[in-house]
Amino acid sequence: MGRNWRNKSGRSTAGTSGMAAGTSGTALAVALAVGLLGLTGCGGGEDSGDGGEGSPSASHADGGSQPPAPKGPDRVGAAPSVVPSVRDWKAVRGPGWERTKYTRVVTDSGSLKDEAKLLADELKVDVARGPARTGDIELKRDKKTKGGREGYELTSRDGKVTIASAGDAGVFYGTRTLLQTYRAQHRFAEGTVRDTPDRPQRGFSLDIARKYFSADWIKERIREMGDLKLNQLQLHLSDDQAFRIESDTHPEIVSDPHLTKNQVRDIVKLAESRHITVVPEIDSPGHLGAVIDAHPDLQLRGAGGQSPRGAIDIANPKAAGIVDDLLGEFADLFPGRYAHAGGDEYQALMSQNPEETYPGLAKEAKDKFGKKAKIQDLATDWLNDRAATLRKHHKMPQVWNDGMHRGGVVTPSKPRQVAYWTGREDGEREPEEYLKEGWQVVNMNDEYLYYVIGQPNNFTYPTGERIYKSWTPAVVRGTEPVPDKYAGADDIVGGRFAVWGDLADAQTTAQVADGIRLPLAATAQKLWDPQKPERSWSQFVKLVDRVD
């Protein structure tokens, strides 16, 4: 939020009265009111707010009548009401901006037409080309604006708002700040916002394999994410219980219900309109039970007849072929930069003695990589190959931290990013170890950011209050932050709040949406600005309710 926020009312303590004292000030106010009535014929152009007569007139849109000067007291107004809070707000004296019947969203940039139309629809006003006038909201690209493609500057002056950024995403985020503040205050005070996120990756991860979430439910979360300035949606598409996306290369593995490709295209299109990248995850070599159901010959089997659920036989070349088919098939359907290759909880490596339990894999490892090789080397090689497949399709691979093994003959390939979720894995590698090795980390700390439906395995539903008060992107595992030298955005590139469907029937999708609302807002706040918030938790909750 703005650093001049001080009191519970949401108003700055400076400049509480801007009206000049004495009879001359009164006379001036009366004269101004009479003049405005004569100009507009509607009491100074106060907006009806119903989208009917409150819509911009055709004569104004065509350059006919002139809008009135802004009205209201000449004072320092309230700081913006927005989640996540703006990082820099400089207030000045003035009446501020209000939506009136003259208000338009104005842009001369072709790339911003979607942002302009969305905001205009939300405010029930028209879109127009420049020049901008009193009452208007102007959107523009400006390479000189600081903060990169996601930073923006919002200036409210003389009854007009200008939102500028070096990138379309930054302009969009500026419109969210304006819209939320308008919802909460019905105006925007005079002043300037300069805002930019602390982390480049700010997201939400959803397991649609174990629990099906409809396309409409996902779209609602995308709209919610857009308002919160989150920019990544990870979809966990496959697991032991189901494979939830239409496939042309392997239709035999697809479960019902599932997302059709047309539904996915609609999801991706809506996400792109909110500057959100959809990150697909086909998890392997574990969590492939739905694939194994259709191809039982791929089931991993141990010396004693063990057949761990979801574990594929990575010594079988057919397994790699199927997974690579799927990764390639969905590469264009999800056109974003990132794709998740999984790598977690491969059951062969979770047994007490992997080499004795799974001698077939142990032999394959030695045959392929030498006598010192172990099954973990075979698993590392498997994930390296899947990462290579993704890179061929111009994706940056992301993998779970427990798919990154130390001290083997085979080492993990680069480039890739590590999604750190747990310290429960065998070996319990600390986040600092990955950071020292130069891996970029996405924080998915299961202590704070895991909403596991049904709360199995000692998980409890995370609270927004706990995230808001004690989590930051630097707290990657447990409750303690990594050393400061590794805590920056170059090393910990962001984080995601995650929903997992372990006990799918324990909650309805509506209950999940309600349960994650405040935790997701708190996560967005701390990814945008990890500093200790100036608002109390109760104030933050009230703000979320006002701007929603």
Side-chain angles (χ1 to χ4, degrees):
M1 73 186 64
R3 296 303 176 202
N4 67 344
W5 186 283
R6 291 292 181 268
N7 57 27
K8 292 183 179 180
S9 70
R11 300 185 183 275
S12 170
T13 55
T16 57
S17 177
M19 294 299 293
T23 58
S24 60
T26 303
L28 177 60
V30 171
L32 177 59
V34 171
L36 291 180
L37 284 169
L39 176 63
T40 67
C42 59
E46 187 67 31
D47 174 36
S48 66
D50 61 4
E53 291 191 1
S55 299
S57 66
S59 61
H60 174 57
D62 295 337
S65 63
Q66 291 291 328
K71 67 193 188 86
D74 179 17
R75 59 170 172 77
V76 175
S81 298
V82 59
V83 179
S85 303
V86 301
R87 302 185 75 184
D88 184 73
W89 161 246
K90 295 293 188 296
V92 297
R93 297 178 69 87
W97 171 88
E98 290 183 286
R99 175 192 176 277
T100 74
K101 69 177 184 179
Y102 297 99
T103 296
R104 309 171 301 169
V105 180
V106 173
T107 187
D108 290 328
S109 171
S111 71
L112 294 174
K113 63 182 181 180
D114 291 339
E115 287 75 14
K117 185 180 185 306
L118 176 62
L119 181 62
D121 289 346
E122 291 165 327
L123 293 175
K124 296 184 173 65
V125 301
D126 285 345
V127 177
R129 295 182 65 85
R133 302 172 179 174
T134 301
D136 286 347
I137 304 157
E138 182 180 16
L139 310 183
K140 64 180 184 178
R141 290 281 297 271
D142 186 349
K143 294 181 180 179
K144 296 180 181 178
T145 307
K146 296 181 180 180
R149 59 176 298 274
E150 291 192 310
Y152 67 93
E153 184 173 299
L154 185 158
T155 304
S156 174
R157 288 286 189 279
D158 303 321
K160 183 180 76 172
V161 170
T162 301
I163 300 172
S165 174
D168 293 357
V171 173
F172 172 73
Y173 296 146
T175 68
R176 302 303 91 189
T177 295
L178 175 66
L179 179 67
Q180 289 191 27
T181 301
Y182 174 76
R183 287 170 177 167
Q185 302 178 17
H186 307 294
R187 64 187 301 111
F188 203 100
E190 203 98 346
T192 299
V193 171
R194 292 182 178 87
D195 205 12
T196 189
D198 185 73
R199 304 290 153 150
Q201 296 189 43
R202 308 175 304 280
F204 172 52
S205 179
L206 180 65
D207 170 14
I208 69 169
R210 282 172 278 197
K211 183 175 181 65
Y212 177 72
F213 292 86
S214 71
D216 287 341
W217 192 96
I218 294 170
K219 288 178 181 178
E220 282 302 307
R221 302 290 77 69
I222 288 171
R223 295 183 183 98
E224 184 179 353
M225 291 171 64
D227 281 354
L228 292 172
K229 302 184 176 78
L230 297 171
N231 65 1
Q232 288 183 338
L233 170 62
Q234 178 179 337
L235 293 180
H236 183 79
L237 299 169
S238 64
D239 214 297
D240 298 341
Q241 291 77 4
F243 190 92
R244 298 286 191 189
I245 183 171
E246 178 185 355
S247 172
D248 298 320
T249 61
H250 292 283
E252 75 280 359
I253 70 173
V254 178
S255 308
D256 283 322
H258 63 267
L259 296 178
T260 68
K261 287 190 174 181
N262 282 337
Q263 287 175 322
V264 171
R265 291 185 185 99
D266 287 344
I267 287 169
V268 169
K269 182 178 180 181
L270 180 64
E272 288 176 341
S273 76
R274 268 65 174 178
H275 297 275
I276 294 169
T277 298
V278 183
V279 181
E281 181 192 356
I282 304 294
D283 198 354
S284 74
H287 298 283
L288 285 173
V291 174
I292 294 170
D293 286 345
H295 297 275
D297 55 316
L298 300 183
Q299 172 67 58
L300 175 65
R301 301 190 185 280
Q306 301 93 333
S307 55
R309 179 68 169 149
I312 208 162
D313 182 359
I314 56 178
N316 187 334
K318 179 182 173 182
I322 290 177
V323 175
D324 281 349
D325 286 345
L326 297 169
L327 295 177
E329 178 181 0
F330 300 129
D332 292 335
L333 189 62
F334 297 93
R337 180 188 177 198
Y338 300 98
H340 205 298
D344 65 313
E345 296 182 319
Y346 186 47
Q347 293 296 316
L349 296 175
M350 298 176 74
S351 57
Q352 188 170 5
N353 191 323
E355 279 66 37
E356 283 188 8
T357 307
Y358 300 100
L361 293 184
K363 181 178 184 303
E364 179 70 12
K366 287 180 167 55
D367 289 346
K368 195 169 184 179
F369 301 112
K371 62 181 181 180
K372 293 184 179 180
K374 297 182 177 181
I375 293 175
Q376 77 164 46
D377 296 297
L378 202 62
T380 298
D381 181 63
W382 168 277
L383 209 53
N384 285 351
D385 286 345
R386 307 295 76 75
T389 297
L390 292 174
R391 285 192 289 267
K392 287 177 183 177
H393 291 280
H394 312 291
K395 306 292 186 185
M396 168 62 80
Q398 295 182 334
V399 304
W400 297 114
N401 62 287
D402 50 334
M404 300 274 287
H405 309 293
R406 69 156 73 94
V409 173
V410 180
T411 58
S413 62
K414 293 184 177 182
R416 72 173 71 175
Q417 294 176 339
V418 180
Y420 195 102
W421 71 281
T422 186
R424 304 182 185 200
E425 82 281 8
D426 186 40
E428 297 182 345
R429 299 181 70 191
E430 293 282 351
E432 189 175 345
E433 187 174 338
Y434 299 94
L435 295 165
K436 283 180 178 179
E437 293 174 3
W439 301 105
Q440 289 185 322
V441 168
V442 180
N443 187 332
M444 298 184 70
N445 185 343
D446 64 348
E447 175 74 21
Y448 290 93
L449 306 180
Y450 261 37
Y451 191 99
V452 185
I453 298 173
Q455 305 183 106
N457 302 321
N458 297 317
F459 282 107
T460 57
Y461 291 131
T463 67
E465 182 174 9
R466 189 162 181 250
I467 295 168
Y468 188 76
K469 288 182 175 180
S470 60
W471 180 80
T472 74
V475 181
V476 182
R477 173 182 172 179
T479 60
E480 295 299 319
V482 300
D484 288 346
K485 65 180 179 179
Y486 298 121
D490 289 339
D491 295 308
I492 302 171
V493 294
R496 295 186 197 127
F497 185 87
V499 169
W500 296 99
D502 289 42
L503 299 178
D505 295 333
Q507 284 192 332
T508 66
T509 57
Q511 288 173 322
V512 173
D514 184 63
I516 68 174
R517 179 171 172 265
L518 289 175
L520 195 61
T523 303
Q525 172 64 45
K526 301 302 283 289
L527 287 168
W528 192 268
D529 185 355
Q531 298 182 67
K532 182 179 179 181
E534 294 185 21
R535 287 185 180 90
S536 68
W537 171 246
S538 63
Q539 290 172 330
F540 182 78
V541 172
K542 292 177 182 177
L543 176 62
V544 173
D545 291 338
R546 289 203 309 271
V547 304
D548 194 4

